Amino acid sequence: MRALVVRSGQPMALEDVPLPQRDGECLIRVKMAGICGTDLQILQGYAEFSGIPGHEFVGVVESAPAKDAHWIGKRVVGEINIGCGACEWCAAGVKEHCIDRAVVGIRHHEGAFAEFLTLPAVNLHAVPDAVDDEAAVFVEPVAAACRIFEQMEVARSSQIAIVGDGRMGLLVAQVVRTATQNVTVFGRHNSKLAVARTLGLATANTPDRESRRFDIVIDVTGRPEGLTRALELVRPRGTVVMKSTFHGEAPIASWPIVVDEVTLVGSRCGPFAPALELLASRAIHVKPLISRIAPLEDHESAFAEARHALKILLAP
Ligand SMILES: [Zn+2]
Ligand SMILES: [Zn+2]
């Protein structure tokens, strides 16, 4: 099959590789895969990954172990963490914190920038007809946004700021808007803020003295300076949600966190079922976020564009 392959220290390349095969896992033909900030970070050395990246996808199950044969032919999306099945975290159903976990396209498991990938059936979710491929490929990042609801209460009166006007910012903003109408997207890209406004979201460029009023501030910049921006917006005793994973360190002055008694919350992967429901109910609009759908052959221009565009999808 054809796949994009990263090897440490080398640029990503389109290669002919054997079909992936893993005991107990289903083989899935990839229909569409999304490029996200984490993939761009992986190309910079984040997670020291080598192999086939890509963890946002929709596909069709081609073959499965006998006990999972009912999945064959189903259109699916997949949770990306694969637990060891033996540790306390796995026993508690929290495979995203299993110390021996593999993560699709990020850690010890081949990803979705290929014609096929494998996943255990337990990771799969059938996609309802109301969610087409171009929407289904967004389930993983929408689920990550839904994780916020598991971590804190978002009240109808909550004032929320999103720091970052990129693809993740515009998804997170739409997800939290299902809980409160008071959502403002802060960003520096006029074209992306314009997309936010077409989605009905309030936008702002830079924080001013009046800005330090938000109960919850969510950093989705994917950049080291995002946390500093978030701390400029949060009210005393408010909460900053950290959604940016990047290669390197964030330089921040820590004293304002202490003086203002700010709660910092790290936030990663989230539940797929509510994400699929939000997409099926059209509460989240993804079409305005799609900048381009490219074949694997165009990976160089697709990844270059993904650095400044909204969502780039790959269709193998
Ligand atoms: Zn991602
Ligand atoms: Zn485990």
Side-chain angles (χ1 to χ4, degrees), residues 30-53:
V30 178
K31 295 188 80 180
M32 220 172 259
I35 300 175
C36 92
T38 305
D39 302 311
L40 299 174
Q41 290 294 322
I42 281 171
L43 299 188
Q44 312 277 316
Y46 171 74
E48 294 171 5
F49 179 77
S50 65
I52 304 169

Side-chain angles (χ1 to χ4, degrees), residues 10-177:
Q10 291 174 36
M12 190 165 60
L14 180 60
E15 296 183 9
D16 257 312
V17 299
L19 272 186
Q21 240 189 339
R22 282 181 185 253
D23 282 349
E25 298 196 1
C26 302
L27 183 70
I28 299 156
R29 181 169 53 81
V30 178
K31 295 188 80 180
M32 220 172 259
I35 300 175
C36 92
T38 305
D39 302 311
L40 299 174
Q41 290 294 322
I42 281 171
L43 299 188
Q44 312 277 316
Y46 171 74
E48 294 171 5
F49 179 77
S50 65
I52 304 169
H55 56 273
E56 301 175 4
F57 74 93
V58 54
V60 173
V61 178
E62 286 273 320
S63 63
K67 67 175 173 42
D68 302 317
H70 58 282
W71 282 102
I72 295 171
K74 292 229 167 77
R75 197 163 62 102
V76 295
V77 290
E79 294 174 29
I80 67 174
N81 295 279
I82 300 151
C84 71
C87 73
E88 278 182 19
W89 286 107
C90 286
V94 189
K95 50 191 185 298
E96 57 269 33
H97 288 297
C98 167
I99 197 130
D100 288 323
R101 71 185 177 275
V103 187
V104 174
I106 297 173
R107 179 164 145 164
H108 309 313
H109 197 290
E110 303 306 286
F113 295 155
E115 289 180 273
F116 295 90
L117 86 161
T118 64
L119 262 185
V122 66
N123 283 53
L124 301 180
H125 293 257
V127 180
D129 290 342
V131 182
D132 64 15
D133 290 343
E134 289 174 19
V137 74
F138 284 86
V139 170
E140 196 274 338
V142 170
C146 290
R147 173 74 183 130
I148 295 165
F149 292 144
E150 296 181 327
Q151 293 178 294
M152 67 200 64
E153 194 200 346
V154 181
R156 287 177 76 88
S157 60
S158 294
Q159 296 280 339
I160 300 196
I162 310 293
V163 184
D165 53 13
R167 50 197 151 240
M168 193 59 190
L170 300 189
L171 286 180
V172 171
Q174 293 185 78
V175 169
V176 296
R177 184 171 57 178

